[in-house]
Amino acid sequence: MRDQALFDKIDLHLIRVLHTVLMERSVSKAAVRLGMHQPAVSAALKRLRDLADDPLLVRSGTGMVPTDAGLRMLEPAARILRAAEVLFSDARGFDPQTATATFRIAASDYLDPLFLPQLVARIKAQAPLCQIEIHPLSADTHYHAHLAQGEVDVVIGNWPRPPEDLHMGRLFGDEVVCLVSQDHPAVRRGWDETAWLAAEHIAPTPTHPGARGVIDEHLAALGLQRNITARCAHFGLIPAMVAQSLLVLTTGRQYCERYVGSLPLAILSPPVDFPRLLYYQLWHARTHASASGAWLRERVRAVAGALRKE
């Protein structure tokens, strides 16, 4: 009986305040993000604390941190908000000119340095009232869980084996090449397999501990291992690092060609045969029938296709 009485006191607005306060770890910042006056957020937080019988947010040094109970509420609150957003927006159909959805995209910039800027520009031009959140793919990114929990709508990447229970849409395939400085010795005299493996390679930071990217997965299958002497989580910075060193970046031709005209770089063929890189977008069954989700995925596909034709 008590659980039902508590449930009757909870509305969607209260859940939104809970999620925002816990994410921002500040009542004043949450008020700005919610477009509310700070006293109203404080009053809502007091209601939430009474309902949870827990302070939810406590002082730590000069800031505030969620309690254990507050941390446990973050993911369920996010799921509730996302489900409500999909429920009502898709029930009315999706009109990009009037929709106020939030699109959450997880991607690295290794697809093409122009991809994310052009995708954001296209979404804002066609759905001006919608919000966009770009989430990085890093060593602590559990993209499968983020998709399942509604924290991300689409993940864009080129993993060797994406989870079979996710939907996948192919964007394009690309040739594997090497990006080196114009002063790299291999530009003048070439390289064989032994010299290429022994060269100093730079690679992106793994998306999760112990993970190997498509390049190293393929080399391992051949019983080969390259000499990786540098890793960087910021893929867009790697070409500049390569231009000023003897490092070798092995990735897709489309990405490399974007930098050759602006930096002293050269593109070489690797002396190892690689299959084409396959880039694709992943999404969860949760949003497969969503009208807004389908619209977003079509924008991703269209932008990737347009860049490929340039």
Side-chain angles (χ1 to χ4, degrees), residues 154-232:
V154 167
V155 174
I156 301 165
N158 68 336
W159 294 272
R161 289 181 296 275
E164 294 181 358
D165 59 332
L166 294 177
H167 292 275
M168 181 179 75
R170 178 170 170 171
L171 298 177
F172 63 83
D174 200 10
E175 174 190 4
V176 173
V177 298
C178 296
L179 190 67
V180 298
S181 165
Q182 289 178 351
D183 296 328
H184 196 286
V187 174
R188 300 187 305 275
R189 60 175 184 245
W191 49 17
D192 57 16
E193 181 181 288
T194 300
W196 181 79
L197 291 172
E200 293 191 68
H201 292 258
I202 185 169
T205 303
T207 55
H208 59 274
R212 287 187 295 202
V214 292
I215 301 300
D216 293 299
E217 283 273 343
H218 181 70
L219 290 175
L222 298 176
L224 303 175
Q225 183 175 354
R226 58 179 173 160
N227 177 33
I228 298 176
T229 63
R231 291 191 180 274
C232 181

Side-chain angles (χ1 to χ4, degrees), residues 271-282:
V272 176
D273 289 330
F274 285 93
R276 289 173 67 79
L277 293 175
L278 297 179
Y279 295 93
Y280 43 77
Q281 56 180 325
L282 303 174

